[in-house]
Amino acid sequence: MPQDSPSTPVGSSCGLGDVGILGYGSQGRAQALNLRDSGVAVQVGLREDSASRAHVLRDGLVSCSLDKLAREMDWIAFLIPDEAQPAVYARLEPLLRPGTALVFAHGFNIHYQKIIPRDDLDVLLVAPLAVGEKVRALYESGGGPPCVIACARDASGQALLRAYRYAQALNRKPVRVFESSFAEETETDLFAEQAILCGGLNHLIAAGFETLVAAGYQPEIAYFCCLEEVKYMADLISARGLAGMREAISTTAEYGDFTRGPRVIGEATRAAMSDLLAEIRSGAFARELDQELQQGGARLAEFRRRAHEQDIETVRQRVLGHSRKAVGPGDS
Ligand SMILES: NC(=O)c1ccc[n+]([C@@H]2O[C@H](COP(=O)([O-])OP(=O)(O)OC[C@H]3O[C@@H](n4cnc5c(N)ncnc54)[C@H](OP(=O)(O)O)[C@@H]3O)[C@@H](O)[C@H]2O)c1
């Protein structure tokens, strides 16, 4: 259920104490800057020789070692890649003070027990519902990201309230939060990535493009129809919802949607979605990923190599080159 944080007026976030941000990537930078601008004392923990140290200084923030962060901060936000978190946590755990709040932006490592924190720590989920750049842009324009919050361990007796307060400090206006669990956030997030946002969409685009090209249509035209126009439709859906999007498209497109869409996303696709969800819920997906990374990621590297060599990528380079040339005066 969405909730506004009633017991946390805007501005009260300044009483958070010292917050340590681990990592200065997509979420790390956005969250560190939002917290700082909300009046929170923030330090950014970086590994030795980190290339991000200069960036942190340029942004007017203080950087320190991971060990110092672990020893001195009241909060530690794990904003390094999920696959790096277990080893870093294991190293830092002996340094953490009792009562420290561990903040995660994604539930994966806690839910699948890749990290099992000490009993005397609060374990919080504050997952902004936006990518890092958007987390910062929303704040700069006077708002902030809605957040999914949860608590996996409540050593202080105040863990969920602490999660609210952290989420509030990422916002300028009263934050909209969705109270959830590590399991729900992790499982829904993985499912959406696999079935829709990454796996589903990428393969739908490639299959559509390849179908048109195999039927003899120009690859450039197929590229625009199947890939570039996705952005316009995604913007429409985001602004108006599925029903509103249908009101904005032609009757021809709408009729094709209602009658042909279910043939593409039919029973077989729904059954595959159920299978994906079952693998996520049983932990089979997490174990498979773990095994792949433990063995050096050769299969992943091969997937990446082949993805770069797809025809649609070659056509994209050609199309972008041509459109740039076409805008110049005198170009034919
Ligand atoms: N990306 C998003 O917008 C997004 C959205 C929602 C939730 N999340 C969650 O937020 C968390 C952070 O994701 P992210 O995408 O923001 O991460 P990211 O951009 O990939 O993080 C990069 C940062 O992590 C540091 N780092 C990498 N490996 C490290 C290690 N072994 N030891 C110490 N530091 C290390 C890098 O250090 P250097 O600077 O030294 O290279 C860099 O500062 C994840 O749990 C993710 O699931 C992300």
Side-chain angles (χ1 to χ4, degrees), residues 22-28 46-47 49-52 66 78-82 84-85 88 105-106 128 130-132:
L22 273 184
Y24 207 62
S26 177
Q27 284 292 328
L46 296 172
R47 52 188 166 186
D49 304 325
S50 169
S52 302
L66 301 180
F78 276 77
L79 300 177
I80 61 178
D82 293 302
Q85 292 176 11
V88 171
H106 180 33
V131 296

